[in-house]
Amino acid sequence: MTKSWCESHEATVALQAGVLQMGDVALQRAIPLDVLLNKTKLFATDLQNPSTLLSAKQLAQLFCNASFLLSRPDLPLVIGQQLLPISLQHFGLGVMHAANVAQALDYLLKAQSLWSPLLHVTALKHEGHLSLYWSDAGAHLDPEEFTLAVLMEMEALRSILLWLGVDLHASEWAFELKSISTNPLSECQSRWAASPIKANCERFVLTLPNTLLHEPLKQASSSLFHVSEQQVAQLPLSFLGFIQQRLLQEIREMPSLETLAEEMAISPATLKRKLKAHGTSYQKQMDQARSLMSYHYSHKLGYSTERVAESLNFYDTSNFRRAMRRWILAS
């Protein structure tokens, strides 16, 4: 398997991925840019250079600085409104020429290294719906920063569909928010008015119905989309996103660390070292994949505990329950 991931220290993210908007808000609050850019190894002049690229770790530090300095509860939604399609750079044409919403979303997930370097987004289908799940991509976000990033991306997906001319009916969206303080929650309730919003959930999830996914797009072009799709297919996932995608493919019989290392053309020791640098381990990644599927099976597919356990290759239900408690505490 050829290398098709990017690591959190690699500079791959364009400035448009929320950075310029944070800079604008800082200036509006009379906060010097060098304060906002503290510990990022960036300078104010870098924000004026269109060729500047950031690593996920630099962007994570900016989110940390912004959450501390910019006490503005609507900040993630303001950034999210402007995140797409500009963060896609020249790949944005593919979204514009998709046949329908489902195709546009699939395209966005293939290009997520451009607009979602801090988080990995996983799409899973269930009867009549598609659910999007957010997980850490190895940038060491604390819970508040993680929440800020998820809200930004949820709003980005909503905003790009509006930009594409989709007639959104708010009640078709269902938001599940894991942990969120009162003020940001009020902003979400105001912005996402008629949509069902559940707070204090186990996970961050956005669920869309098939009726919306099959909504045709006005500028659809099969030939132009095909060309863009071939190009975006070459974009890498985040390192942890790459591993999560691989583990979810074989959720019952996950590959060993040694097998995955061989597939990635690196040694097991190198894979362990890279995982440690991203603040995780192979066991944690396997637990995270099982935890995600456990939630999906039980909350979206309505499986019983026994059936979930069997689907994840647990033949002792008590062992599965103990593992599930460990996953929840670790997530």
Side-chain angles (χ1 to χ4, degrees):
M1 182 178 296
T2 57
K3 181 180 184 296
S4 56
W5 69 83
C6 53
E7 299 184 41
S8 59
H9 64 275
E10 296 176 335
T12 60
V13 187
L15 284 174
Q16 289 87 347
V19 178
L20 297 180
Q21 296 94 321
M22 282 189 272
D24 290 342
V25 174
L27 292 175
Q28 291 167 9
R29 296 293 179 88
I31 297 172
L33 285 179
D34 60 340
V35 176
L36 178 67
L37 299 175
N38 186 39
K39 297 182 181 179
T40 64
K41 298 182 180 179
L42 294 169
F43 300 95
T45 52
D46 292 322
L47 302 189
Q48 300 167 5
N49 184 351
S51 63
T52 297
L53 294 176
L54 293 79
S55 68
K57 285 188 175 180
Q58 286 176 309
L59 191 57
Q61 183 62 53
L62 275 169
F63 269 69
C64 175
N65 296 347
S67 62
F68 178 73
L69 295 168
L70 309 176
S71 54
R72 183 173 167 176
D74 67 340
L75 181 63
L77 303 183
V78 170
I79 296 174
Q81 281 186 311
Q82 304 174 55
L83 186 65
L84 295 169
I86 192 170
S87 295
L88 298 177
Q89 304 167 55
H90 61 278
F91 293 99
L93 289 175
V95 178
M96 185 185 303
H97 298 305
N100 52 39
V101 171
Q103 198 174 67
L105 286 175
D106 181 65
Y107 184 90
L108 284 169
L109 293 182
K110 291 175 180 174
Q112 62 180 280
S113 60
L114 298 177
W115 61 275
S116 181
L118 304 179
L119 307 172
H120 179 65
V121 189
T122 299
L124 296 175
K125 295 179 180 179
H126 47 111
E127 186 176 358
H129 294 82
L130 178 76
S131 287
L132 302 177
Y133 294 87
W134 275 262
S135 58
D136 174 51
H140 305 299
L141 298 177
D142 69 21
E144 183 177 353
E145 295 153 13
F146 189 93
T147 298
L148 188 155
V150 174
L151 297 182
M152 178 187 74
E153 294 187 5
M154 286 181 168
E155 177 62 16
L157 293 174
R158 194 185 74 92
S159 295
I160 197 170
L161 293 189
L162 291 171
W163 180 80
L164 290 170
V166 178
D167 183 17
L168 292 183
H169 302 289
S171 59
E172 294 182 333
W173 296 70
F175 295 91
E176 296 171 51
L177 308 178
K178 181 178 179 181
S179 57
I180 184 170
S181 56
T182 302
N183 289 339
L185 178 59
S186 297
E187 292 292 338
C188 292
Q189 290 169 333
S190 175
R191 190 68 59 93
W192 303 336
S195 298
I197 300 176
K198 295 181 181 179
N200 300 314
C201 298
E202 289 181 32
R203 291 184 168 275
F204 287 99
V205 189
L206 171 58
T207 299
L208 307 173
N210 281 344
T211 51
L212 177 61
L213 297 175
H214 295 151
E215 188 79 20
L217 299 180
K218 297 177 180 178
Q219 300 187 59
S221 168
S222 58
S223 56
L224 290 173
F225 179 81
H226 180 67
V227 172
S228 297
E229 187 178 40
Q230 287 182 312
Q231 294 173 328
V232 82
Q234 304 304 314
L235 291 173
L237 287 173
S238 68
F239 176 69
L240 295 188
F242 179 90
I243 291 173
Q244 279 294 299
Q245 182 171 284
R246 179 66 183 86
L247 295 179
L248 290 170
Q249 289 172 351
E250 298 184 41
I251 194 65
R252 283 181 58 85
E253 296 288 346
M254 292 182 179
S256 66
L257 182 143
E258 290 75 18
T259 299
L260 183 60
E262 183 177 356
E263 291 179 5
M264 297 174 74
I266 57 178
S267 69
T270 298
L271 178 54
K272 288 180 182 179
R273 177 175 54 79
K274 289 180 180 295
L275 285 165
K276 185 176 181 180
H278 285 75
T280 187
S281 67
Y282 196 57
Q283 183 62 55
K284 288 180 181 178
Q285 288 302 297
M286 290 193 294
D287 286 350
Q288 184 171 305
R290 292 189 180 109
S291 176
L292 189 157
M293 290 308 303
S294 172
Y295 185 92
H296 187 72
Y297 287 149
S298 60
H299 289 75
K300 304 302 179 183
L301 298 181
Y303 286 8
S304 66
T305 299
E306 291 73 19
R307 188 175 178 186
V308 175
E310 183 180 352
S311 299
L312 296 177
N313 210 17
F314 281 80
Y315 292 99
D316 185 326
T317 305
S318 60
N319 284 343
F320 170 70
R321 287 197 175 97
R322 283 195 293 271
M324 191 163 54
R325 285 195 292 270
R326 186 180 75 246
W327 300 338
I328 293 172
L329 290 173
S331 63

